[in-house]
């Protein structure tokens, strides 16, 4: 299926964003491992969270988490530390090519029984759950932060607790901080020995109820829409977003300021509008906010602002190779984006002839669809292939665009 998206001439709307997928998935896991039933309010309805919920509520021999990378990492640790569980954990063809050896090796060092059911170092995994010993473990900081978060969350259930030593550069720190804060809110003890050492003693989770915030990552597409709007009076109100959120992607409010978007707190939540002035060269390090990369890259290109965005080393192992996908799809629109050392994308203003009727491919990646849809604000109309991928994190995205005045065929 292909959606043809036509932008409105004027934008004045209020959009209620979905609940945070990152918070929802962590809350589900900690509530499952807790000593009492937890009432979770405002749980995300996206595919990734529904997959996580099904996996935790049913004891199937085979657990298929489809394309949910967070669920793969978190459930690997959960099943490995759950005595009596025997599970084959699998996913989509793309998931079977996303590396997981670092996490598996870490869990094996704690006593886990995990075997590869296919290619060495990749899912699917055969897991026999048992009580893990705990102790000390070293992990490189330049891997997926979800490995660190997965180990942190099961740490209270290990015999000795767990001390995690992080070596090298720590990327996506905001997600580790989110895990730490949520664990404390759920009653676990987390001790920061120093910036590189986290000690979590043997203990338990205890929480009666928990309210999940709306998703700051999802707000980025509305920031992009306002940045690309031709009508300077355009604005969007996003209710129930907290300025002092635990979510690392709340940094989007600062990252979009040089691109002409103003963020102000209003009684309902936050309001986005245009500042007017934009930078002439955009530079940012997104090692703590890699999920914002596609939105910022596309915004800069469509506004004609040269950019250099670093900290993108984890984008190769996401739902798709996001570095390559961005370069290929922006080339269709006439923008020659370049890569440097596997961690940087940059554009120096070079353009080429655009395709006459470009169709943006989404590569089974929800963020590709949502980052390119706002291009309609500049292009007039944009075509997106496989628009259904947005269900992974923002199921109501297309309906929300229609509510804002976009026309979708």
């Amino acid at each position: 299926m292909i959606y043809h998206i036509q932008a409105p001439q004027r934008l004045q709307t209020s959009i209620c964003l979905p609940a945070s997928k990152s918070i929802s998935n962590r809350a589900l896991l900690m509530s499952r491992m807790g000593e009492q039933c937890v009432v979770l309010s405002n749980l995300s309805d996206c595919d990734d969270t529904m997959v996580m919920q099904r996996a935790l509520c049913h004891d199937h021999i085979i657990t298929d988490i489809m394309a949910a990378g967070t669920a793969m990492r978190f459930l690997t640790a959960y099943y490995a530390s759950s005595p009596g569980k025997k599970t084959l954990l699998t996913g989509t063809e793309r998931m079977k090519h996303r590396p997981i050896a670092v996490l598996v090796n870490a869990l094996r060092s704690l006593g886990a029984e995990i075997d590869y059911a296919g290619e060495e170092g990749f899912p699917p995994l055969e897991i026999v759950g048992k009580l893990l010993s705990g102790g000390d473990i070293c992990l490189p900081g330049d891997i997926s932060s979800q490995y660190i978060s997965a180990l942190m969350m099961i740490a209270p259930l290990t015999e000795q607790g767990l001390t995690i030593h992080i070596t090298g550069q720590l990327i996506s720190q905001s997600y580790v901080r989110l895990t730490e804060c949520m664990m404390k809110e759920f009653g676990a003890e987390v001790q920061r020995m120093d910036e590189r050492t986290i000690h979590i003693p043997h203990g338990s989770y205890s929480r009666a109820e928990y309210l999940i915030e709306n998703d700051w990552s999802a707000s980025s597409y509305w920031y992009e829409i306002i940045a690309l709007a031709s009508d300077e009076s355009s604005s969007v109100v996003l209710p129930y977003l907290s300025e002092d959120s635990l979510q690392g992607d709340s940094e989007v409010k600062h990252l979009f300021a040089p691109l002409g978007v103003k963020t102000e707190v209003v009684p309902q939540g936050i309001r986005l509008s245009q500042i007017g002035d934009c930078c002439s060269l955009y530079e940012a390090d997104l090692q703590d906010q890699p999920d914002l990369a596609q939105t910022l890259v596309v915004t800069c290109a469509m506004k004609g602002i040269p950019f250099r965005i670093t900290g993108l080393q984890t984008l190769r192992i996401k739902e798709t190779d996001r570095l390559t996908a961005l370069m290929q799809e922006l080339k269709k629109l006439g923008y020659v984006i370049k890569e440097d050392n596997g961690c940087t994308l940059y554009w120096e203003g070079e353009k080429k002839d655009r395709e006459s009727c470009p169709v943006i491919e989404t590569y089974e990646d929800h963020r590709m669809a949502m980052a390119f849809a706002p291009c309609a604000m500049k292009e007039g109309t944009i075509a997106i292939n496989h628009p259904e991928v947005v269900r992974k994190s923002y199921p109501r995205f297309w309906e929300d665009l229609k509510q804002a005045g976009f026309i979708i065929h």
Side-chain angles (χ1 to χ4, degrees), residues 66-85:
M66 299 186 290
T70 304
M72 174 58 73
R73 280 74 176 261
F74 289 1
L75 290 172
T76 296
Y78 169 71
Y79 287 139
S81 60
S82 300
K85 286 186 178 292

Side-chain angles (χ1 to χ4, degrees), residues 127-284:
I127 305 172
V128 178
K130 59 201 313 185
L131 178 62
L132 302 184
S133 61
D136 282 62
I137 193 167
C138 288
L139 280 177
D142 60 352
I143 57 168
S144 171
S145 64
Q146 291 173 4
Y147 296 168
I148 299 172
S149 289
L151 290 165
M152 288 175 66
M153 285 188 286
I154 66 163
L157 306 186
T158 61
E159 286 185 296
Q160 306 169 39
L162 187 62
T163 301
I164 302 173
H165 303 275
I166 301 169
T167 61
Q169 182 185 22
L170 177 58
I171 61 173
S172 301
Q173 295 185 59
S174 58
Y175 289 99
V176 176
R177 287 194 296 269
L178 173 63
T179 303
E180 177 183 348
C181 291
M182 287 187 65
M183 287 178 67
K184 291 176 179 177
E185 290 177 340
F186 272 79
E189 185 180 352
V190 182
Q191 301 169 1
R192 278 276 184 168
M193 313 306 289
D194 53 49
E195 283 299 310
R196 302 284 175 179
T197 309
I198 304 170
H199 176 65
I200 302 163
H202 173 79
S204 61
Y205 290 108
S206 57
R207 180 90 185 196
E209 56 185 33
Y210 192 82
L211 175 63
I212 294 161
E213 299 177 15
N214 280 357
D215 187 27
W216 269 100
S217 301
S219 76
S220 67
Y221 312 113
W222 296 96
Y223 273 88
E224 181 181 1
I225 286 168
I226 292 298
L228 299 181
S230 56
D231 182 354
E232 294 180 1
S233 68
S234 295
S235 70
V236 176
V237 173
L238 302 174
Y240 313 120
L241 282 183
S242 171
E243 193 177 28
D244 57 354
S245 170
L246 294 174
Q247 299 174 62
D249 284 350
S250 63
E251 185 68 15
V252 68
K253 57 184 178 287
H254 301 302
L255 291 166
F256 264 89
L259 299 175
V261 182
K262 176 183 178 182
T263 305
E264 58 184 321
V265 178
V266 295
Q268 306 97 309
I270 65 166
R271 180 177 180 269
L272 312 182
S273 59
Q274 289 193 353
I275 299 171
D277 295 330
C278 292
C279 60
S280 57
L281 171 66
Y282 185 83
E283 295 181 296

Side-chain angles (χ1 to χ4, degrees), residues 354-376:
R354 53 171 290 144
E355 294 184 6
S356 57
C357 298
V359 176
I360 302 300
E361 295 297 333
T362 52
Y363 306 89
E364 299 184 2
D365 187 344
H366 53 134
R367 299 197 190 279
M368 286 297 291
M370 293 185 286
F372 276 88
C375 293

Side-chain angles (χ1 to χ4, degrees), residues 298-307 327 330-338 346-355 378-379:
V298 175
T299 301
C300 288
M302 298 306 298
K303 288 181 72 68
I305 298 174
F307 63 84
M327 290 188 288
L330 280 168
K331 186 178 290 187
K332 293 178 180 179
L333 301 179
Y335 301 93
V336 181
I337 311 300
K338 296 179 180 178
Y346 66 96
W347 182 56
E348 297 175 328
E350 182 182 353
K351 299 186 74 173
K352 63 183 286 293
D353 291 340
R354 53 171 290 144
E355 294 184 6
K378 289 290 189 183
E379 296 278 309

